[in-house]
Amino acid sequence: MRVLVVEDERRLAAALRDGLEAEGFAVDVAGDGEEGLWLARENPYDALVLDIMLPRLNGYELCATLRAERIWTPILMLTAKDGEWDEVDGLDIGADDYLTKPFSYAVLLARLRALLRRGARPRPAVLQAGALRLDPATRQVWHGDTEVELTAREHALLEYLMRRAGEVVGKLEIIEHVWDVNFDGDPNIVEVYVRRLRTKLGAATIETVRGAGYRLKDG
Ligand code: CA
């Protein structure tokens, strides 16, 4: 497995390289966004670990450029805890997962392995599930022919459920992806947002699977 780490903090980049190499990965490191983009275009990496704040080209621009060129290498983004950027923005431009700095190396490894198992998955420009359509780029949602207005968080939740349409998705998994891995509030916030989506999209759109989570209808 070959991984590209794009990170301008030299000590963190070196620690990631050493750690991943010790796990048997082949690792390349790029110290700025332009070099990262060049390497990611030229080499068939199995995954990218991508910092957001980078010299020359930031992680969001790098990610969006790759996706626009239909390069679907799985991307794990590293975000700063003070959140200069919203994680929701990252989902929109095609990253696959997030980790908030500072993170534990064990968690990074687990997330990376999960991405590698999934592999590169082409993302259609517009997501579709049943009567629902969602355009991640423009943040528009339609139910049949009717456009539906959603808040940023409602949109992120719906997008996550649509990407997993037909599958049961657990509350904690939703929180990790739509809120934050470090979210320490009440997990029932998910229920609140699911109710809002049902109100806007129809009660039958999202099914509650008791004790397991939620499932967005796929047909
Ligand atoms: Ca940085």
Side-chain angles (χ1 to χ4, degrees), residues 42-95:
E42 295 300 313
N43 302 292
Y45 291 106
D46 295 294
L48 260 65
V49 176
L50 179 61
D51 188 31
I52 289 177
M53 299 308 288
L54 291 165
R56 293 152 75 93
L57 185 72
N58 71 45
Y60 280 110
E61 293 164 334
L62 198 167
C63 180
T65 305
L66 288 179
R67 297 313 190 222
E69 292 174 7
R70 312 191 68 72
I71 296 170
W72 307 109
T73 314
I75 294 179
L76 175 61
M77 276 198 151
L78 306 178
T79 70
K81 194 166 174 59
D82 55 17
E84 257 156 300
W85 301 80
D86 187 344
E87 298 195 3
V88 174
D89 296 336
L91 283 174
D92 287 347
I93 49 91

Side-chain angles (χ1 to χ4, degrees), residues 133-208:
R133 281 184 302 135
L134 179 148
D135 186 337
T138 62
R139 290 202 178 189
Q140 286 173 293
V141 172
W142 298 270
H143 188 219
D145 292 328
T146 312
E147 188 170 351
V148 184
E149 295 289 328
L150 298 181
T151 66
R153 189 74 73 184
E154 289 165 357
H155 182 98
L157 174 59
L158 181 64
E159 181 179 348
Y160 190 68
L161 291 173
M162 285 182 77
R163 290 193 188 283
R164 306 279 306 272
E167 298 174 33
V168 179
V169 187
K171 225 179 240 182
L172 292 178
E173 188 185 341
I174 291 173
I175 283 180
E176 278 192 7
H177 289 268
V178 179
W179 276 264
D180 189 295
V181 274
N182 298 315
F183 177 85
D184 56 3
D186 184 350
N188 289 318
I189 186 79
V190 177
E191 182 64 37
V192 173
Y193 276 83
V194 165
R195 271 205 299 271
R196 290 186 192 171
L197 286 179
R198 283 180 179 139
T199 305
K200 292 184 176 184
L201 303 169
T205 312
I206 302 169
E207 181 189 353
T208 299

Side-chain angles (χ1 to χ4, degrees), residues 6-9 51-55 101:
V6 189
E7 169 62 77
D8 60 317
E9 290 168 45
D51 188 31
I52 289 177
M53 299 308 288
L54 291 165
K101 290 180 180 179

